[in-house]
Amino acid sequence: MAANNSVSLSTVGAALAGAAYGQAIDSPSGYGQGGSGYGKRFGSGMARSASDNFFGTFLIASIMHEDPRFYVKRNLSFTQAVKYSAVRVVITRSDSAKLVVNYAGLLGPLAGEALANTYWPEQNRGVGSTLVRYASDIGWRFGGNLLRQYWPQINRKLRIVPRAAEPETTLSDKP
């Protein structure tokens, strides 16, 4: 699952978009501008995702017996969906379907950002920069949860994937 997530279309798309945004605001500034700077930003975005997936989705989730997936919960109001998406950043299910602290989802991004200090430009390394990137990762995780919560409805309205091919995992599908 970690390997698939690391090279998924959404991961590549996010790295491309993140690199474009970083290029536009010259962040991190140590990568410079032009094709070389964009390539470094894209590569670091992919590496950060792979590190997060390795530490969170694979290593910590396996050690702690956590299920790192987000499950859609049906028939929620918008307020309930926002709350559910936020809670799932901090709480997840164990392999035995019990509610547990989401160590994989909380510590995986932190470990990935700590590792990123080995290849980020010198001026963008350090505890402060790492914690800013980590906070951003947690915010994006919440946003991703909320998007996943509404993706089945968005998909049906936009007809992105034919209905028969649309897998929909819900909490009620869990044993």
Side-chain angles (χ1 to χ4, degrees):
M1 189 164 128
N4 285 340
N5 288 351
S6 295
V7 295
S8 71
L9 186 58
S10 62
T11 300
V12 173
L16 288 168
Y21 179 73
Q23 186 81 353
I25 65 169
D26 195 23
S27 176
S29 58
Y31 285 153
Q33 290 292 307
S36 175
Y38 181 82
K40 291 174 185 176
R41 287 179 179 90
F42 172 72
S44 71
M46 291 297 293
R48 287 172 59 209
S49 292
S51 299
D52 178 3
N53 280 307
F54 172 76
F55 289 117
T57 306
F58 170 65
L59 189 64
I60 297 169
S62 297
I63 291 169
M64 301 302 292
H65 299 283
E66 295 175 4
D67 183 351
R69 297 172 292 182
F70 176 82
Y71 290 93
V72 172
K73 194 171 185 182
R74 294 181 188 200
N75 303 319
L76 298 179
S77 69
F78 179 74
T79 304
Q80 291 170 322
V82 168
K83 181 180 176 187
Y84 176 70
S85 297
V87 166
R88 285 295 174 230
V89 170
V90 181
I91 304 293
T92 192
R93 296 206 178 259
S94 68
D95 291 345
S96 60
K98 293 180 182 163
L99 294 178
V100 296
V101 173
N102 189 0
Y103 291 109
L106 294 170
L107 298 178
L110 184 58
E113 292 303 347
L115 181 62
N117 283 321
T118 64
Y119 54 82
W120 269 59
E122 187 68 38
Q123 65 267 35
N124 301 107
R125 298 178 188 176
V127 175
S129 294
T130 302
L131 292 176
V132 167
R133 292 190 315 266
Y134 171 68
S136 174
D137 292 346
I138 296 300
W140 281 109
R141 184 159 299 211
F142 161 72
N145 287 351
L146 193 58
L147 178 63
R148 283 184 199 98
Q149 184 65 33
Y150 284 100
W151 187 250
Q153 293 100 317
I154 294 168
N155 184 41
R156 276 193 292 278
K157 296 251 190 230
L158 299 177
R159 296 184 176 119
I160 297 169
V161 177
R163 199 170 187 85
E166 180 184 283
E168 204 172 297
T169 310
T170 66
L171 280 178
S172 61
D173 296 336
K174 276 295 272 180

